[in-house]
Amino acid sequence: MPDSETVSNNLKHHFANLEQQTATSKFGMWLFLATEVMFFGGMFVSYLVYRLSYYNAWVAGSQTMEITLGATNTAVLICSSLTMVMAVHFAKLGKRKLTAIFLIATLVLGMTFLGIKGVEYYKHWVHHEVPGPNFHFEHEGNFDPRHVSIFFTLYFAMTGMHALHMVIGVGLLSWLLILNALERFSAEYNSPVEIVGLYWHFVDVIWIYLFPLLYLISHRHTG
Amino acid sequence: MDEHAHPSVMTFVAVWITLLFFTGLTVFAATLELGPFNAIVALGIATIKALLVVLFFMELHYSTALTKVIAIAAIFFFMLLAGLTLSDYLTRGWSTYPSTH
């Protein structure tokens, strides 16, 4: 479809022009992300309170984490943020093919993250580190294993909610790829790509904090 | 505010390289014995990384004043949540919290 049609098809009647509509969409996404800060914030503050209470158990729990996998996943997410920002960049220039290439790259990196996270979850399950009747933690040190269970509860809650956001992000990227293939975007109209980009980067920011808080409390030299 | 002003590809690549560098740095910093400063260094690096993502990838630096207000409000309300919660827990018995075990 011609580019001018993408504007006339997508401009809602209650907006004066497309610039105003785009600014409003972006503002709406930022507002949603502010509520997401509070959503994750509750878990971050729980983490903080329990960490101050049961620091030694927190260290013991953190030392079971595989830093290599965590660091790799951090790098994967950072790379996916770069590809996302490139997809937005090319969407704004109206280059559909390059937009598609970078959206696919972001999608693949997002799924790589989830795959590595899945490997980690599997290892936690095998090592009886999932809170519940199956939970068992070798007691060696000045801490209560039940407090390590609290660490893992927060670990699974925080990384699990983060992973859910990643799954939703993968869904949104697939949706963008379909719309892009149907030529619904142009240099004039591309705000869906831009606001999904905002969401994707926000999920990256959450992980940027989760990585040091969960993996790097006290480093174990594994050689 | 110029709606068309946004960072160049070179800016994105530079931010990306910086983010990867800080990821390596935070892993390295965790191997050092810094006592309580380990947490401060880790959170400091995370905050630098988060700021880079928010300012350049999310283009907050190039956004409208209204958007900046929302971003600052989000941080403010999180600080309120953390600050008021800790003002409770950290003052329970004053000297016995955080416990040493």
Side-chain angles (χ1 to χ4, degrees), chain B residues 63-74:
Chain B
S63 294
T64 58
L66 191 60
T67 310
K68 286 173 183 160
V69 167
I70 290 300
I72 292 164

Side-chain angles (χ1 to χ4, degrees), chain A residues 2-223:
Chain A
D3 286 358
S4 58
E5 261 183 56
T6 64
V7 176
S8 57
N9 285 350
N10 290 294
L11 179 61
K12 303 288 187 290
H13 67 88
H14 46 277
F15 290 111
N17 53 46
L18 201 60
E19 284 70 39
Q20 190 196 23
Q21 180 176 307
T22 303
T24 309
S25 314
K26 281 164 74 175
F27 177 68
M29 182 45 98
W30 274 99
L31 211 52
F32 168 69
L33 295 180
T35 71
E36 289 275 88
V37 168
M38 296 312 288
F39 172 74
F40 279 100
M43 289 187 284
F44 275 103
V45 173
S46 309
Y47 167 96
L48 191 58
V49 168
Y50 280 115
R51 175 173 165 154
L52 291 170
S53 307
Y54 309 133
Y55 182 70
N56 290 344
W58 244 235
V59 170
S62 177
Q63 284 182 344
T64 65
M65 299 293 151
E66 289 200 28
I67 291 168
T68 316
L69 290 180
T72 307
N73 252 354
T74 309
V76 167
L77 267 196
I78 288 170
C79 292
S80 83
S81 264
L82 177 71
T83 55
M84 187 71 232
V85 98
M86 296 304 284
V88 174
H89 177 76
F90 286 115
K92 283 179 181 170
L93 295 174
K95 296 188 174 169
R96 295 193 181 106
K97 203 168 182 179
L98 283 164
T99 305
I101 288 169
F102 281 105
L103 284 177
I104 291 167
T106 312
L107 192 69
V108 169
L109 287 165
M111 291 197 294
T112 306
F113 176 92
L114 287 170
I116 293 175
K117 200 72 228 157
V119 169
E120 288 186 81
Y121 277 5
Y122 173 74
K123 289 186 174 183
H124 292 311
W125 174 258
V126 170
H127 295 146
H128 301 281
E129 287 159 357
V130 179
N134 196 30
F135 185 82
H136 178 75
F137 199 84
E138 282 303 321
H139 188 282
E140 37 182 74
N142 186 20
F143 63 86
D144 186 334
R146 288 175 304 171
H147 297 157
V148 184
S149 176
I150 299 175
F151 170 82
F152 275 105
T153 302
L154 280 164
Y155 165 81
F156 280 109
M158 294 167 99
T159 60
M161 282 319 300
H162 178 267
L164 178 65
H165 279 76
M166 293 290 298
V167 171
I168 293 168
V170 164
L172 291 170
L173 287 170
S174 312
W175 171 68
L176 287 183
L177 272 167
I178 293 166
L179 291 185
N180 188 60
L182 294 172
E183 304 192 351
R184 297 284 172 84
F185 304 132
S186 66
E188 289 78 27
Y189 175 74
N190 47 54
S191 54
V193 186
E194 209 176 345
I195 64 169
V196 169
L198 288 175
Y199 172 86
W200 190 265
H201 297 310
F202 173 80
V203 177
D204 186 12
V205 168
I206 293 294
W207 182 261
I208 283 172
Y209 280 100
L210 287 180
F211 173 58
L213 289 177
L214 296 170
Y215 290 75
L216 302 177
I217 295 176
S218 186
H219 207 300
R220 181 175 54 178
H221 298 271
T222 46

